[in-house]
Amino acid sequence: MLLAAAAHVLLRLLGLSPPARDSSILALDTVAHLGRIRDAWNQAGVGIALVTSPSYDGALGWHSETLSFGNATGDGKPWDADVRDQRRPVQSSRQSRFAIASNSKLFTALAIGLLVTNGTQLPGGGTLDWSTKVKDVLPDWQLMDTVASEHVDLTDLLLTPPGQVVKSLRDLPPSAELRQTFQYNNLHYTTLSHIVPTLTGTSFVDYVRAHILGPLDMAATTYNHTAAGATGRRVEGFSHVGRNATRCRAQWDDAPAVKDCVGEPVATGWWADGDGIEDAGPGGIITTLNDLTKWLRELLEPAVLPASLVAKVATPLVHAFESPDPELGLAAYGFGQVISSYRSRRVVSHTGGVPGQSSVILRLPDKGIALAVLVNDDSEPQVFYALAYAVLDDLLGLEPIDWSTRFMRRRVYAEPDGAPLPAHPRPAIAALLMAGTYTHSAYPSLRFEPFDAAAHGDLLAHLDGDRLNLTGPVLVSRFETAFTSRAVLTHYDGDYWNCTLVLSHGDRQLHLPMQTASALVADDGIGMFGNFWGQGAALPVRQPHEGRQCAEVWFGRE
C-alpha cells in the first residue's frame, strides 16, 4: 500500500484533516521545526533538496522541491540571492553552489562501475572487472606492504578508502592488514580517479561529465572551484567560535541550546584556493539544490545509469560502525555508500564535509524517498542528521523524535577529547633546541619555530586552553594539506606534546583547530600518535607512552 495515499484516506475516513501543508509535501509544522533546529544550533544556512517517486504516493507522482533557511554569505545574502552582485535580481535558492565533499565518492564509484559494465579493455589484455588488481591497471601503484601491493583490487579500493597522489601511497605505513577492518580514507578514491584516464584517455572529470552529469542535465554541477566561484553564487563557509563547554554544562538543564554550547558562526569564505581538480575523485563536486533533485531522482529510478549498477554500489559488503541510537542500528559500507536503517526502514546514504560546509545525501529506495541536506557551516553531523530525520518522520508518518535535543544533550555531556593536563609536568626539551626541520616522504615537511605573537598573530586564539598548555613552550610550523595550514605543538609532560593541526582562513586571520593528536619528541625526530594518520575508530589509538616504535608517522630531523 502506498504510504502517503493510504494515510490521507485513513484520515478522511476518521473525519480528520491531514497536517497543514502549502506547496511543500512537508507539513507546515515540520518546516517550522526545521527552522528551529537551525536556530538551536546557531547554523548559518541550510538547504534541502527532496524528491519522492510514485512508489511513495501514486496520486502525487514524481515530486521535487527545495527549501532553504538562513544565509549563504557572511554579509547576510540568503541562499536564494545572487551572491556576486546584490543589485541583480534575486535568483532561486537552487542556484547556490555548494561543495558536497565525500558525497562525490558515489560519482567516482559509478564511473568505475561504468568502465566495468562496458567491458573496458586492460593494457595487458582482458577486461576490467571488480576483482581486477590495481597493479594491472596503474604502473605507478605500490604500497609499503608488498602483499597488499600485489593483491589490492578495485573492490578493496571502493570499500576501504586507506588515502594523496598514487605515487606517495608507497611511503605510507599500513595501520592494519589488508581486508582486516573497515577504515575510511580519501586516497583510494584519488587512486580510482586515476584509473579512468589510464584506461580511456579521457580525464576523470570529463568522463563523469560525459557519462553522468551531462545526460542528467546537471549543468550547474562542476568539479572546478574557480568556475563555481565565477558564477557569483558559491556559498561561503562558516565556523563557530566562542564555545565554552564548562558554562554550557552549567546552564544546559535550565536553558538548553545556550550560545555557550554552540558558539557564534563566523564566515570563513571558501575553504580552498585554486580549481581543486586534484581532489575530484574523493570529494570534488560542487553542485546546487536544483541539480541534486535530478540526482536524487536518478538514484531512486535510474534512467541514465544501469539500474543494476546503482543497486551494486548500494550492496552492503563490510561492517562499518554501529550507532548508539537503537532507531539506527548497524551500518555497512558498499561502494561509496553507507547502508543502514532508520526506524526499521532501509537507508542508503553518505555524508560529506569540508571546512565550513557539511552534508548528507540519503535515500529510502523501498519507500520512494530521497533527500539532501546541505549546511554551509562546519557543524557536526548531528545537525544535518537532525534535519534529515525530521523530514523522514514527517514523510513516513511516524511519531516525531526530537533528534536535535537528543544530539545536543549527548554533545553537552560528552567527555572532552584528550587527557587533562598534569598538575606538575616534567620539563620539556628546550623549545629552541627543538626548532628545526622534520621530514617524512609522504607528508609536508615540518619546520618548527618557537611561537612568536608578532609573527604568528592570533594563531592560538581558538585553541582549548583547558586541555592544552598554551602558557608553556609552544612551537609552530607550516603544514599545508587540504584541510590544514599549520601544526602547533604544546607541551604536555616531559617528551610528550600535544599536536593541533590548524586551518588559517586567508586574509580573515581566523585560525581554527581541525584535528588534535599527540607527539613524542626525541633528538632525532618527532613521532606522531593519537590518530594523526586518520586510521578511523575501528582500531586502538596509539599513544606516545608506547614508544617511538609504535609511532603512526615518524618525522626524522634533518
Side-chain angles (χ1 to χ4, degrees):
M1 182 178 292
L2 299 173
L3 174 66
H8 289 180
V9 169
L10 179 60
L11 287 169
R12 285 195 294 269
L13 290 174
L14 294 174
L16 303 174
S17 300
R21 304 173 190 271
D22 54 14
S23 58
S24 172
I25 196 174
L26 298 175
L28 295 177
D29 285 349
T30 299
V31 176
H33 181 54
L34 297 175
R36 288 193 294 272
I37 293 172
R38 184 186 77 88
D39 292 342
W41 291 83
N42 207 12
Q43 298 296 288
V46 173
I48 298 175
L50 171 62
V51 174
T52 58
S53 76
S55 64
Y56 172 74
D57 185 342
L60 185 65
W62 282 100
H63 175 84
S64 301
E65 64 177 89
T66 64
L67 303 89
S68 61
F69 309 83
N71 298 328
T73 63
D75 56 3
K77 298 184 180 72
W79 269 56
D80 60 353
D82 184 318
V83 301
R84 177 178 49 196
D85 185 347
Q86 200 170 21
R87 296 169 299 177
R88 297 182 62 181
V90 171
Q91 304 294 319
S92 167
S93 64
R94 297 172 297 188
Q95 295 304 309
S96 296
R97 268 61 173 181
F98 186 96
I100 61 171
S102 285
N103 280 300
S104 308
K105 287 182 169 67
L106 178 55
F107 291 81
T108 305
L110 291 167
I112 295 297
L114 288 173
L115 296 181
V116 171
T117 301
N118 295 335
T120 304
Q121 295 295 306
L122 294 172
T127 58
L128 187 75
D129 63 37
W130 301 110
S131 61
T132 296
K133 302 292 189 291
V134 180
K135 68 181 180 65
D136 294 332
V137 184
L138 298 177
D140 290 326
W141 172 257
Q142 184 180 333
L143 299 174
M144 187 174 288
D145 183 330
T146 56
V147 174
S149 285
E150 286 294 314
H151 295 284
V152 166
D153 58 26
L154 295 189
T155 294
D156 292 316
L157 293 188
L158 289 158
L159 282 177
T160 56
Q164 280 188 45
V165 179
V166 177
K167 287 185 179 180
S168 56
L169 283 168
R170 66 190 62 178
D171 298 318
L172 293 170
S175 58
E177 293 185 12
L178 178 64
R179 301 170 185 158
Q180 294 305 299
T181 188
F182 173 77
Q183 294 179 285
Y184 184 84
N185 198 301
N186 285 326
L187 294 188
H188 276 193
Y189 273 72
T190 300
T191 304
L192 287 164
S193 69
H194 284 263
I195 288 176
V196 174
T198 299
L199 295 182
T200 67
T202 300
S203 75
F204 171 75
V205 169
D206 287 344
Y207 186 89
V208 173
R209 168 66 61 192
H211 294 273
I212 302 176
L213 301 178
L216 290 174
D217 191 30
M218 295 175 66
T221 300
T222 181
Y223 284 98
N224 191 307
H225 298 204
T226 305
T231 67
R233 300 187 180 99
R234 199 174 65 179
V235 303
E236 286 190 326
F238 287 74
S239 291
H240 285 240
V241 300
R243 293 184 177 119
N244 187 299
T246 302
R247 291 202 300 265
C248 170
R249 291 190 187 96
Q251 302 174 68
W252 170 258
D253 289 331
D254 295 326
V258 294
K259 290 294 168 50
D260 283 322
C261 298
V262 296
E264 290 289 344
V266 177
T268 56
W270 191 253
W271 63 279
D273 298 323
D275 59 26
I277 298 300
E278 67 277 4
D279 296 317
I285 281 184
I286 302 163
T287 189
T288 67
L289 292 175
N290 187 43
D291 272 10
L292 283 173
T293 62
K294 301 172 185 178
W295 181 233
L296 296 173
R297 177 166 177 160
E298 177 69 9
L299 294 176
L300 285 177
E301 190 172 298
V304 169
L305 298 164
S308 59
L309 177 56
V310 174
K312 174 75 174 178
V313 299
T315 301
L317 294 176
V318 60
H319 174 258
F321 56 86
E322 183 173 358
S323 170
D325 298 290
E327 299 89 350
L328 307 179
L330 298 173
Y333 206 76
F335 294 166
Q337 297 281 262
V338 175
I339 300 88
S340 58
S341 63
Y342 180 74
R343 303 179 76 172
S344 302
R345 282 82 173 170
R346 183 169 68 100
V347 176
V348 181
S349 68
H350 210 284
T351 61
V354 293
Q357 301 181 60
S358 56
S359 59
V360 62
I361 297 178
L362 60 84
R363 63 189 186 277
L364 282 64
D366 305 326
K367 301 297 181 182
I369 298 170
L371 70 148
V373 179
L374 317 178
V375 183
N376 60 316
D377 200 306
D378 66 353
S379 60
E380 296 159 89
Q382 293 95 320
V383 179
F384 55 66
Y385 277 131
L387 293 161
Y389 295 160
V391 172
L392 292 183
D393 284 346
D394 181 338
L395 296 182
L396 294 170
L398 300 173
E399 183 69 24
I401 294 174
D402 187 355
W403 288 103
S404 179
T405 300
R406 182 192 293 189
F407 289 155
M408 182 74 79
R409 179 177 293 277
R410 183 177 297 159
R411 182 175 179 273
V412 167
Y413 291 107
E415 289 296 320
D417 293 334
L421 292 171
H424 304 288
R426 294 170 295 169
I429 295 175
L432 287 175
L433 295 179
M434 287 174 55
T437 300
Y438 301 81
T439 62
H440 185 284
S441 55
Y443 290 88
S445 295
L446 293 165
R447 294 178 174 85
F448 281 112
E449 61 184 8
F451 173 76
D452 179 359
H456 300 118
D458 294 331
L459 182 61
L460 310 183
H462 298 295
L463 302 192
D464 185 354
D466 292 334
R467 313 298 293 185
L468 300 174
N469 179 5
L470 301 181
T471 60
V474 178
L475 290 107
V476 177
S477 171
R478 303 290 303 183
F479 192 66
E480 300 285 354
T481 71
F483 297 157
T484 65
S485 305
R486 291 175 172 84
V488 179
L489 289 178
T490 52
H491 184 239
Y492 180 74
D493 182 34
D495 295 336
Y496 305 155
W497 294 64
N498 286 309
C499 178
T500 305
L501 301 182
V502 174
L503 179 62
S504 300
H505 292 276
D507 58 4
R508 297 170 189 265
Q509 294 301 302
L510 182 64
H511 311 286
L512 298 174
M514 300 300 294
Q515 181 183 345
T516 57
S518 49
L520 171 65
V521 174
D523 293 338
D524 60 342
I526 298 176
M528 295 298 182
F529 298 79
N531 202 22
F532 176 87
W533 59 6
Q535 68 181 25
L539 297 172
V541 176
R542 302 182 187 184
Q543 298 297 347
H545 67 264
E546 298 177 60
R548 61 186 294 163
Q549 72 279 2
C550 294
E552 298 168 358
V553 181
W554 184 266
F555 288 86
R557 183 164 187 166
E558 289 188 347

